Amino acid sequence: MSLPPGDQAAGDAGLFVSDLVARLQQSEERLRVAVEAAEMGTWDYDVVQNRCWWSPRTCEIWGIEYAESLPGDLRYGFVHPEDEQRYRREVDDAVFSGRPFQIEYRIIRPDGRVRWVLLRGVSSCDADGHPVRATGIALDNSERREADEQLRESRALLDAFMRNAPVGMYLKDPDGRYLMVNPEMAKVLGVGVEQALGRTAEEVLGAEEAGRIAEEEDRAVATGQAQSRNQYFPDRTDHSSALLIRFPLVRNGERPQIGGFAIDTTEQMRAEAELKRSREALHQSEKLSALGSLLAGLSHELNNPLSVVVGQALILEEKAADQQTAARAGKIRAAAERCARIVQTFLAMARQREPERQLVDINETIDAALELTAYGLRSAGVSVDTDFARDLPVVIGDAGQLHQLFANLIINAQHALETCRAPRRLGIATRLENGHIVMDIRDNGPGVAPALRARIFEPFFTTKPVGAGTGLGLSFAYGVARAHGGELLLLETASGAHFRVVLPVEASVHAAAHSEAETRARPAGRVLVVDDEVDLAATVCELLELHGWQTRAAHSGEEAIRQLDHDDPDLIIADIKMPGMDGPALFDWLSEHRPALADRVVFLTGDTLGDAANAFLARCGRPFLEKPFSVESFAALLRPQQVRCNTRHTSGRDVSNDRHTRGL
């Protein structure tokens, strides 16, 4: 059955409309599902009627009951006061001008909760361009904002942590470029933070160091374990040492990244080095203490017989019947005095005492130091050239310490030259310059490395192998030079080493020497020699008689007191260490019973390493001479005593003792 044409057309139109409506409903349903799935609300605002419609989700976001129609001004009542002005400016201006808009702002719900919402909308206008309606979506953005805020706080915390961390921290991307570098790490890298970011290790540190880093990073990735090593930066003062730790970071199968830490160990390394030096110093101190104990016993055993040999050789030389005998006696005396100087040198190394002032000829002192070191220099194949200025003034100082100063410098040069091929040369020169005596000691050895120059005079610092040196030689020499008002310098030179000693010359030296020379020929007086060593006492008496003194000997303190009952000597020379009443006990007895005689006592001692002897000498303030003594030091001891003796005889009174004119 066919329908009339008009009816057929109407039927087709109905089907089309029905299909269109179905499709629209389907699209609307899809849109609704999508909007609900996205948890978005929708809204529509009738500008003309000032009414609005909010979807259930929109009402839920605002925390109100759903209604088919709501007042248009209701939207203002929820806006946070701090955002209201911005809302009106951005939303109203867009709606009434027909522009699309988007704004994120805060609302305050009826329950008091503050929420962040994202509002998007478009507006439409009539034919005259007046706005008639606006429609759009609303999204609760609170959770995202909270997540963003937490992320910002986390980043700020991480930034503060990285910035203030006392250790270096960094992170690299898979291509080896620095993504994160904190200030401490930048110090280790030796560049600023901005200079490191985005650059590779090769660009920052150079190819050589970058190669080592790449090896460690590859090993960390291959093993999955952290790699660490200590890094030393010799050209830096700060951050000169660091413990570097590198480890791999692997995320979801991506190419691995490298993270790491750098712990500044500069102070720790310095503390460990200082502890090591302190231990070495303690070890050396213990060695010196043992050496001192050994020398104390050795000197006691050698001092007296050496003094006898020196004295008897001098007497034999003076009283020899012929020139040949005198010459032989002179050789014996010279050898014995050399032995005495060696013992004195050992004692000077072990003792710690202020310089004993006397007149010192620098050229003679250097000659004596060369004599002491001659065998070692010859054995090492070192040739010595000297250029001594003539007529140098003498200086006032401690002859033993100055002798040791020059000996240490010579031995130091010898040890340095032994590491070099021949020819090995040592040059020593003296001159007078601007009121100072200048001594230059040069060698053609390896010299002193620039990095060691600042520490070369530090106590216990040595570049020699363990057991080959104490590190005290140059330190001792430096201290002696300073104690004498001078200085010891290490000068820069193209090759070898060049040390310079500068000592001041006092204006009164020449007059003092002349005055002492005049006293030598004056008549002497009577002297009592007190020593338990019979041979030594006899030798001292004979030496005194050569200088014009009348002598008597006593072999104990008790015997000396008995003799003093019948005698009043001008000078008493007493040994310190004796059995029974020793030198200190005798001096205390004289101070109490015969104070005038106490001011005429000088002491001989071979025990200057002993604490008791040193304490007594400091307490009594009397002149003393160390055994074994040389002829010159013995004569130097007698000169001021002879002056006081002659003064007493001519004026009838005693004069004050001048401790600075005593012997060694």
Side-chain angles (χ1 to χ4, degrees):
M1 175 180 176
S2 62
L3 296 174
D7 293 340
Q8 180 68 41
D12 291 341
L15 290 173
F16 173 76
V17 171
S18 297
D19 182 62
L20 180 60
V21 170
R23 289 183 180 182
L24 288 174
Q25 290 176 343
Q26 186 178 23
S27 296
E28 183 180 352
E29 179 64 19
R30 288 175 179 173
L31 177 62
R32 184 188 64 79
V33 171
V35 169
E36 290 180 357
E39 295 187 339
M40 290 190 299
T42 57
W43 55 268
D44 183 81
Y45 173 52
D46 186 336
V47 178
V48 177
Q49 299 295 325
N50 193 27
R51 301 292 294 180
C52 59
W53 171 84
W54 290 359
S55 70
R57 174 56 182 160
T58 303
C59 293
E60 181 183 350
I61 293 173
W62 262 256
I64 62 174
E65 294 284 341
Y66 172 76
E68 289 292 337
S69 178
L70 297 170
D73 293 337
L74 179 66
R75 55 197 173 95
Y76 296 125
F78 296 97
V79 180
H80 194 287
E82 295 179 2
D83 296 340
E84 183 175 356
Q85 185 176 0
R86 180 169 60 89
Y87 175 87
R88 289 180 180 272
R89 183 178 65 250
E90 296 184 18
V91 175
D92 288 358
D93 288 354
V95 169
F96 290 101
S97 63
R99 292 183 289 103
F101 64 88
Q102 175 177 306
I103 182 174
E104 188 176 24
Y105 66 103
R106 288 169 292 176
I107 63 170
I108 302 178
R109 294 168 30 130
D111 60 8
R113 295 172 61 189
V114 177
R115 308 294 291 178
W116 281 92
V117 294
L118 176 66
L119 202 65
R120 291 177 182 173
V122 294
S123 61
S124 57
C125 300
D126 59 16
D128 297 328
H130 299 116
V132 293
R133 69 185 310 109
T135 187
I137 63 168
L139 179 67
D140 187 345
N141 237 14
S142 300
E143 292 183 0
R144 185 187 64 79
R145 289 290 302 222
E146 289 175 3
D148 289 346
E149 184 63 27
Q150 291 176 357
L151 180 59
R152 280 193 294 271
E153 290 180 358
S154 297
R155 286 177 175 173
L157 182 61
L158 176 61
D159 179 68
F161 178 77
M162 294 279 287
R163 188 173 59 255
N164 295 283
V167 300
M169 295 184 286
Y170 70 91
L171 177 65
K172 289 182 177 181
D173 66 15
D175 295 321
R177 298 189 178 277
Y178 289 102
L179 294 176
M180 299 172 62
V181 172
N182 73 336
E184 281 298 310
M185 189 66 209
K187 293 177 183 178
V188 174
L189 295 174
V191 299
V193 172
E194 297 301 325
Q195 293 174 291
L197 291 175
R199 301 172 67 189
T200 64
E202 183 174 355
E203 293 171 326
V204 175
L205 300 172
E208 183 178 353
E209 180 61 21
R212 286 194 289 266
I213 292 174
E215 290 180 3
E216 294 172 4
E217 292 178 348
D218 291 344
R219 190 160 51 248
V221 171
T223 62
Q225 297 179 345
Q227 303 294 313
S228 64
R229 70 179 170 96
N230 286 303
Q231 176 74 37
Y232 179 60
F233 305 96
D235 56 337
R236 301 181 188 176
T237 302
D238 297 324
H239 291 80
S240 61
S241 178
L243 173 63
L244 304 178
I245 304 172
R246 298 179 174 87
F247 52 90
L249 281 80
V250 181
R251 299 186 303 171
N252 301 325
E254 298 178 357
R255 292 171 59 197
Q257 296 176 270
I258 294 293
F261 301 100
I263 303 173
D264 182 15
T265 57
T266 303
E267 292 303 320
Q268 178 184 350
M269 297 301 290
R270 288 175 180 169
E272 290 178 358
E274 184 61 32
L275 179 60
K276 182 179 179 181
R277 284 195 293 270
S278 298
R279 287 174 176 170
E280 291 176 352
L282 177 61
H283 178 60
Q284 297 295 347
S285 177
E286 292 173 347
K287 288 167 60 177
L288 286 178
S289 177
L291 175 63
S293 300
L294 174 64
L295 290 177
L298 179 65
S299 62
H300 180 71
E301 295 300 324
L302 291 179
N303 286 339
N304 288 341
L306 271 177
S307 298
V308 173
V309 174
V310 171
Q312 290 297 328
L314 174 62
I315 295 168
L316 180 60
E317 186 178 2
E318 292 284 338
K319 296 182 176 181
D322 55 79
Q323 189 63 33
Q324 184 178 10
T325 303
R328 289 180 175 177
K331 291 180 180 180
I332 296 173
R333 178 177 60 83
E337 288 182 344
R338 180 180 177 185
C339 294
R341 284 194 296 271
I342 292 173
V343 172
Q344 292 292 351
T345 298
F346 287 151
L347 292 175
M349 290 174 60
R351 73 165 60 93
Q352 294 181 352
R353 196 171 61 213
E354 291 297 317
E356 301 292 343
R357 305 296 182 180
Q358 67 181 96
L359 302 182
V360 181
D361 185 308
I362 292 299
N363 288 344
E364 289 183 0
T365 304
I366 296 176
D367 273 333
L370 285 170
E371 180 183 3
L372 178 66
T373 58
Y375 177 78
L377 292 171
R378 286 195 306 271
S379 300
V382 178
S383 62
V384 181
D385 297 319
T386 58
D387 182 15
F388 294 164
R390 295 183 178 181
D391 301 323
L392 277 181
V394 294
V395 300
I396 295 179
D398 188 310
Q401 289 190 1
L402 291 174
H403 177 275
Q404 187 62 43
L405 183 157
F406 296 123
N408 286 359
L409 291 176
I410 293 169
I411 293 171
N412 183 73
Q414 174 196 325
H415 289 169
L417 289 167
E418 287 174 346
T419 65
C420 301
R421 294 181 179 179
R424 302 178 178 126
R425 293 188 296 271
L426 173 64
I428 305 177
T430 62
R431 68 179 187 278
L432 183 64
E433 183 179 287
N434 298 325
H436 290 75
I437 294 180
V438 179
M439 292 135 285
D440 288 310
I441 301 178
R442 309 170 186 252
D443 64 62
N444 65 335
V448 181
L452 303 179
R453 297 177 67 87
R455 301 188 58 196
I456 198 69
F457 297 120
E458 289 183 9
F460 302 107
F461 177 76
T462 179
T463 59
K464 299 170 185 175
V466 176
T470 64
L472 291 174
L474 291 179
S475 172
F476 177 87
Y478 181 83
V480 169
R482 295 297 298 271
H484 284 77
E487 54 185 344
L488 172 58
L489 307 171
L490 173 60
L491 305 183
E492 293 188 9
T493 181
S495 61
H498 182 183
F499 288 90
R500 174 171 292 174
V501 181
V502 182
L503 296 175
V505 177
E506 299 185 22
S508 61
V509 169
H510 299 288
H514 178 71
S515 175
E516 288 192 6
E518 290 182 344
T519 66
R520 295 175 187 173
R522 293 181 181 179
R526 292 172 294 110
V527 59
L528 174 63
V529 177
V530 186
D531 198 307
D532 62 306
E533 293 280 345
V534 176
D535 291 340
L536 181 57
T539 299
V540 171
C541 287
E542 291 184 73
L543 288 174
L544 289 166
E545 290 167 3
L546 289 177
H547 288 79
W549 294 85
Q550 301 175 22
T551 65
R552 296 183 64 181
H555 301 304
S556 67
E558 294 85 353
E559 183 181 349
I561 291 175
R562 288 193 296 271
Q563 291 196 26
L564 291 175
D565 288 339
H566 311 289
D567 195 8
D568 191 13
D570 298 296
L571 178 65
I572 300 173
I573 299 178
D575 190 14
I576 286 184
K577 194 172 184 179
M578 296 183 293
M581 177 179 280
D582 57 10
L586 174 61
F587 179 79
D588 291 340
W589 186 90
L590 291 173
S591 298
E592 181 179 356
H593 300 284
R594 304 284 297 275
L597 292 182
D599 290 338
R600 304 177 191 178
V601 177
V602 296
F603 289 100
L604 297 178
T605 178
D607 187 32
T608 55
L609 286 179
D611 293 337
N614 280 324
F616 167 71
L617 291 172
R619 172 173 65 85
C620 72
R622 298 302 303 161
F624 64 90
L625 182 63
E626 291 184 64
K627 298 183 286 187
F629 50 80
S630 66
V631 173
E632 290 78 8
S633 61
F634 188 75
L637 176 71
L638 293 180
R639 289 175 200 137
Q641 312 307 324
Q642 188 171 343
V643 172
R644 284 189 288 276
C645 177
N646 293 338
T647 302
R648 276 198 307 274
H649 290 170
T650 56
S651 64
R653 62 182 180 85
D654 207 344
V655 296
S656 62
N657 174 65
D658 182 3
R659 186 172 173 83
H660 293 292
T661 61
R662 68 191 182 194
L664 288 177

